[in-house]
Amino acid sequence: MRALTSSVPLVIGDQLTDASTGATFDTVNPADGSRIAAVAEATVDDVGRAVEAARKGATAWQRLRPSQRARLMLRFAALIEANKDRLAELQTRDMGKPIRESRSIDLPIMIETLEYFAGLVTKIEGRTTPAPGRFLNYTVREPIGVVGAVTPWNFPAVQSIWKIAPALATGNAIVLKPAQLAPLVPVALGELALEAGIPPGVVNVLPGRGTVAGNALVQHPAVGKITFTGSTEIGQEIGRMAAERLITASLELGGKSALVAFADASPKAIADVVFQAMYGNQGETCTAPSRLLVERPIHDEVVELVRARVESAKVGDPLDPETEIGPLISAQQRRSVHSYVTSGVEEGAVLVAGSAEHPGDAPGRGFFYRPALFADVTPQMRIAREEIFGPVLAVLPFEGEEQGLAMANDTVYGLAAGIFTRDVGRALRFAGSLDAGNVWINSWGVLNPASPYRGFRDSGHGSDLGQSAIESFTKEKSVWARLD
């Protein structure tokens, strides 16, 4: 892995190359607003070059024995582990995530995911069916060929591997278009894939604009599958474009997740988990439990415990290992988050922690935002209905299981939900009734590459993890053989 320089290339085939037009864009450190590097800005022509390289790379990749592909993926994982400190720092500088999270959460998830999918390479099997008469019928799972992937800026490292690993495990090549706001780690991963000995063209990385490189990738006739993580609005556009081409699309989109806390649960345990789950990564997490529904008897105690934890949180330099909350990704994102805080105050919610006064956009100060906590929130308020994507938690009281469940499901989203209770029967009833793709009981955010991670309704569909990914990243062929 080469050291970061003042310029960051595209990764196409076996080349680290400039964009076809020579155009670049700056990537900025959100902690102080300073320029980190000039990044090559991919064009439609560059997408064409990358897809052609991916077609050739897929052919070479598929000719390798499954055990060879698995060994190369494990070598890729080993290189990520060898460079984990540099990758963690690169991500933190590029998008503001506290270094403690980059090191202890994101990098281990990446390595574990690659190792899991390397283990699946030799276990992709077809099946035989009870065919009528003198016939043998069997199925085989074949690679799609070229996968197009578009990743977000809030988890640039993890999301890149969540796309790359299943694509490679199933015999495909991938063209990855990372978010323009956080391209550094995805480009570094493209370089490490080449260093690991993965054939040229199997992993291509094209930083650039979504409206240019992203759209061109989705619409390229040689791309057979799209996997996208990002906002619901853009996901809907990508889904429409994929549908017009009759190709599959995995879409992991936005969320407005509810954590339902019952009075028999520990208020301290609830507050501790909510703080980490909601304010980690500055709240820029699609599964953040931004709606905390608390049963009346413990409502005030939980609010006070969360308030104390929020007000004591260390907000500051994300490279400081003690920092708990770093900067938001951009000044624009900070303005958007603050508009929701202003809205909450105007609609009558009580701002228990945080400030209704905008911190200002002074040069050199970065895009920090003090975490906010609202109480006395009603389900109709904007802060209870819309995805904020920042450190803003809305607490809503409820009474009884029926009301708690109705409030939790009262959203267009369906990405995640959770329950805190000591009653096992209630927990399982709730888990079965919550309309969300990921449900946690007495916890939040637990992940495993063997388990699918998906949304319902406006949170999208399809999964890039677990056995579900084998179906998603392959095409099933049915073969009939006459036996006489």
Side-chain angles (χ1 to χ4, degrees):
M1 177 179 166
R2 67 189 180 89
L4 177 65
T5 63
S6 59
S7 61
V8 176
L10 312 177
V11 181
I12 299 178
D14 61 354
Q15 301 294 314
L16 307 181
T17 180
D18 294 334
S20 59
T21 61
T24 63
F25 63 90
D26 289 342
T27 187
V28 172
N29 185 338
D32 58 14
S34 65
R35 173 182 177 274
I36 300 174
V39 183
E41 184 175 326
T43 65
V44 173
D45 288 342
D46 295 322
V47 171
R49 287 196 294 146
V51 171
E52 182 57 32
R55 291 177 66 179
K56 294 177 181 177
T59 299
W61 188 236
Q62 292 161 20
R63 285 175 179 166
L64 296 177
R65 293 172 62 86
S67 59
Q68 291 176 297
R69 298 202 300 269
R71 282 195 294 271
L72 289 172
M73 289 181 66
L74 289 173
R75 189 180 300 170
F76 186 19
L79 280 173
I80 291 174
E81 184 159 23
N83 289 275
K84 61 184 179 183
D85 289 340
R86 295 170 65 189
L87 289 168
E89 181 177 345
L90 202 60
Q91 174 173 263
T92 290
R93 292 182 61 196
D94 204 20
M95 57 76 58
K97 184 192 299 284
I99 191 69
R100 62 196 292 174
E101 295 181 20
S102 290
R103 284 176 178 159
S104 64
I105 299 176
D106 293 32
L107 266 296
I109 288 174
M110 294 166 65
I111 296 164
E112 183 181 26
T113 301
L114 263 175
E115 291 175 341
Y116 170 78
F117 277 102
L120 279 187
V121 173
T122 57
K123 301 170 185 66
I124 300 174
E125 301 173 343
R127 57 194 174 92
T128 58
T129 67
R134 301 286 295 169
F135 284 93
L136 168 67
N137 176 237
Y138 63 92
T139 68
V140 291
R141 287 209 163 271
E142 298 180 344
I144 288 172
V146 179
V147 171
V150 182
T151 54
W153 48 259
N154 61 326
F155 283 89
V158 168
Q159 285 289 342
S160 294
I161 290 298
W162 278 12
K163 312 298 187 190
I164 292 170
L168 269 57
T170 48
N172 300 292
I174 189 168
V175 180
L176 173 67
K177 210 298 287 182
Q180 190 173 0
L181 289 172
L184 297 185
V185 171
V187 171
L189 291 174
E191 297 179 39
L192 287 176
L194 289 172
E195 188 178 337
I198 292 173
V202 175
V203 178
N204 308 272
V205 185
L206 301 181
R209 298 179 184 275
T211 54
V212 178
N215 286 354
L217 181 60
V218 175
Q219 295 172 332
H220 197 289
V223 172
K225 174 187 169 58
I226 294 295
T227 171
F228 169 81
T229 300
S231 72
T232 295
E233 293 74 20
I234 296 176
Q236 289 170 333
E237 294 179 16
I238 288 176
R240 283 190 287 267
M241 288 189 282
E244 289 175 358
R245 295 193 45 234
L246 301 179
I247 63 173
T248 62
S250 302
L251 304 172
E252 193 259 284
L253 309 178
K256 191 66 180 176
S257 303
L259 191 158
V260 185
F262 286 94
D264 65 340
S266 162
K268 184 178 185 306
I270 295 165
D272 288 345
V273 168
V274 165
F275 175 80
Q276 296 298 333
M278 179 62 239
Y279 297 103
N281 201 37
Q282 298 76 250
E284 295 171 323
T285 306
C286 48
T287 53
S290 55
R291 291 184 298 144
L292 175 58
L293 313 183
V294 186
E295 201 167 18
R296 283 281 184 191
I298 62 169
H299 174 272
D300 292 351
E301 183 178 0
V302 169
V303 169
E304 174 57 26
L305 287 168
V306 176
R307 182 204 63 76
R309 188 66 183 85
V310 167
E311 291 191 341
S312 68
K314 181 172 182 178
V315 180
D317 180 4
L319 289 173
D320 181 347
E322 299 301 315
T323 292
E324 296 176 283
I325 300 176
L328 298 178
I329 188 68
S330 66
Q332 179 181 349
Q333 183 66 15
R334 184 169 63 178
R335 287 191 293 271
S336 174
V337 170
H338 187 69
S339 73
Y340 281 100
V341 172
T342 302
S343 169
V345 172
E346 291 174 349
E347 290 187 305
V350 176
L351 186 59
V352 177
S355 174
E357 186 175 333
H358 192 279
D361 292 327
R365 290 177 52 187
F367 312 127
F368 293 94
Y369 194 82
R370 191 74 198 173
L373 169 65
F374 279 100
D376 293 340
V377 178
T378 62
Q380 295 74 33
M381 294 179 180
R382 284 184 66 207
I383 57 173
R385 305 205 67 80
E386 299 179 17
E387 184 175 37
I388 299 173
F389 225 62
V392 181
L393 173 62
V395 184
L396 297 83
F398 74 92
E399 296 180 359
E401 286 188 32
E402 185 176 348
Q403 186 184 35
L405 179 62
M407 290 172 64
N409 285 337
D410 183 20
T411 174
V412 298
Y413 297 105
L415 186 57
I419 318 103
F420 262 75
T421 180
R422 290 192 178 100
D423 185 330
V424 175
R426 171 192 284 159
L428 297 180
R429 284 196 305 275
F430 248 70
S433 299
L434 288 167
D435 194 9
N438 304 280
V439 176
W440 291 286
I441 299 173
N442 295 330
S443 60
W444 193 275
V446 183
L447 298 171
N448 187 312
S451 179
Y453 179 87
R454 65 187 307 153
F456 297 161
R457 293 176 287 140
D458 282 14
S459 292
H461 56 79
S463 175
D464 293 341
L465 297 180
Q467 292 287 339
S468 302
I470 301 303
E471 297 183 9
S472 180
F473 284 79
T474 59
K475 51 192 178 184
E476 188 176 35
K477 177 184 289 182
S478 178
V479 179
W480 289 84
R482 188 178 180 94
L483 301 179
D484 56 9

